[in-house]
Amino acid sequence: LDDTDAGDDVPAEATPAPRAGRRSALAIAVLIPVAAASMYAWLGQPTAIDPAAAQASANQQVEQMVEGLAARLQANPNDRKGWAMLARSLKVMGRLDEAEQAFQKAGDAINDDPELLVAYADLLAVRADHNIAGRPLELVRQALALDPRHPMGLMMVGVAAYRQGDFAAAISHWERLLAILPPDSDDARQIASNIADARDRAGAPKSAR
């Protein structure tokens, strides 16, 4: 969500910080399969109980897996779903140029996957100086048509509405997001603050959750 939070028109408090979310996405998409495959190799190794060594080993395994996938795709460039997986992994790793190229090669393979659509939208927004309008917003709306409760999609479409001065729409999107967040979470508190700010700007009365 940091990638979509930029510009003077949006207060700093209007977008929750998601760095941990991106790290979690990488862990889910990459580290969990690696952990399952490498568990037996780690058993009996003294470094397996060293957190720093374990993290370094995991990072190396991630890099090797991504590079291996990239090499396989060079040999089989028509594997669109493979390109989509590579694109998402590269994006989380911060290799944005390569990620955009991989998304382009994935083509229509992302059209039925809300996660990939939102990931691509987020990438395009970052590369457009954090601007959600245009193609990124189209992709987000496409993702929400498939999954109306997609959290990142709801956050981004709310930010887009807020920046356009459509505070009622921003409130609507963020209230839908708030309803699916854990009530006592930091994200829920941040979204509630965003909604209060949008209500102030819209001149509407505040309401307690």
Side-chain angles (χ1 to χ4, degrees):
L1 299 180
D2 271 353
D3 294 343
T4 66
D5 182 22
D8 294 335
D9 292 337
V10 183
E13 68 271 15
T15 307
R19 292 185 178 87
R22 287 199 291 275
R23 290 194 294 271
S24 298
L26 178 59
I28 292 169
V30 178
L31 289 177
I32 290 177
V34 168
S38 63
M39 182 182 298
Y40 294 105
W42 279 34
L43 290 176
Q45 296 183 16
T47 57
I49 61 174
D50 182 341
Q55 182 62 53
S57 178
N59 290 343
Q60 184 178 18
Q61 289 177 346
V62 169
E63 292 285 350
Q64 290 173 347
M65 188 198 75
V66 170
E67 295 304 330
L69 176 58
R72 288 195 296 273
L73 290 170
Q74 291 299 328
N76 184 21
N78 294 324
D79 182 359
R80 292 181 177 271
K81 288 194 176 294
W83 284 113
M85 181 185 300
L86 179 64
R88 191 175 179 190
S89 298
L90 290 169
K91 176 186 177 293
V92 174
M93 295 169 70
R95 294 162 60 175
L96 301 186
D97 291 341
E98 297 167 85
E100 184 169 2
Q101 293 172 11
F103 269 121
Q104 291 171 353
K105 291 178 180 178
D108 295 340
I110 72 171
N111 287 345
D112 59 353
D113 189 324
E115 288 290 340
L116 290 172
L117 287 166
V118 170
Y120 191 22
D122 183 49
L123 172 63
L124 292 178
V126 172
R127 296 188 49 84
D129 196 23
H130 306 281
N131 184 6
I132 303 174
R135 180 63 173 157
L137 185 56
E138 291 176 7
L139 291 168
V140 170
R141 293 191 185 281
Q142 186 177 344
L144 289 173
L146 295 169
D147 179 7
R149 292 166 56 86
H150 191 284
M152 181 68 166
L154 288 170
M155 183 64 201
M156 290 180 70
V157 77
V159 169
Y162 184 100
R163 290 179 178 174
Q164 293 168 359
D166 189 349
F167 301 114
I171 292 166
S172 176
H173 295 308
W174 286 338
E175 284 181 338
R176 288 164 59 197
L177 173 57
L178 186 61
I180 62 178
L181 292 174
D184 296 327
S185 67
D186 289 340
D187 283 342
R189 285 188 283 272
Q190 181 62 66
I191 295 301
S193 176
N194 296 353
I195 292 170
D197 176 77
R199 288 186 183 279
D200 283 343
R201 290 175 178 264
K206 296 181 182 179
S207 62
R209 186 181 179 189

